[in-house]
Amino acid sequence: MESNTASNASEATGGGASDARRPVSLSDEADLDAFVGDANVALVEFYTNGCGICASMEPVIGNVARGVEVDLAVGLVNPRDDPPLVERFDVRSVPLFVLFVDGEPVARRAEGFIPGDELTAWVEEHAP
């Protein structure tokens, strides 16, 4: 089993959309827009610090990126760091997962912890 030394994906910054092995930390709206714009398909988790469910989803989304048929980029963004993101994506609870295809949001889920196989099926259902 692979060890994840980036507890909050802070080491992953700068990995870009091409690094589908580990979630990339996105600092603000501009980072998010650039990230999803560079990827054909991107899964972004909106989280907050101190959210245990959010933290437990980080390795799950990394596994999903390796397990889906599409080339999936995965990112993490804390909307608390950029309040316009809360309004733009109507963030009412975390974790919130938004799937982007060609830079546009196509699906979203905010149901707490989502098992990896269920999240994989959801991504594959909505991605081309």
Side-chain angles (χ1 to χ4, degrees), residues 31-107:
D31 257 7
L32 173 66
D33 289 341
F35 179 77
V36 300
D38 286 345
N40 291 332
V41 181
L43 175 63
V44 176
E45 176 186 353
F46 291 76
Y47 75 96
T48 57
N49 293 333
C51 169
I53 294 173
C54 300
S56 68
M57 287 303 303
E58 181 182 341
V60 172
I61 63 175
N63 289 336
V64 168
R66 290 184 289 275
V68 294
E69 295 296 318
V70 298
D71 183 19
L72 180 68
V74 291
L76 304 169
V77 66
N78 185 344
R80 185 177 242 173
D81 296 340
D82 192 358
L85 283 175
V86 173
E87 185 175 329
R88 177 178 167 191
F89 290 98
D90 194 27
V91 179
R92 296 181 184 268
S93 64
V94 292
L96 166 66
F97 299 93
V98 179
L99 185 67
F100 295 83
V101 175
D102 296 326
E104 296 297 321
V106 296

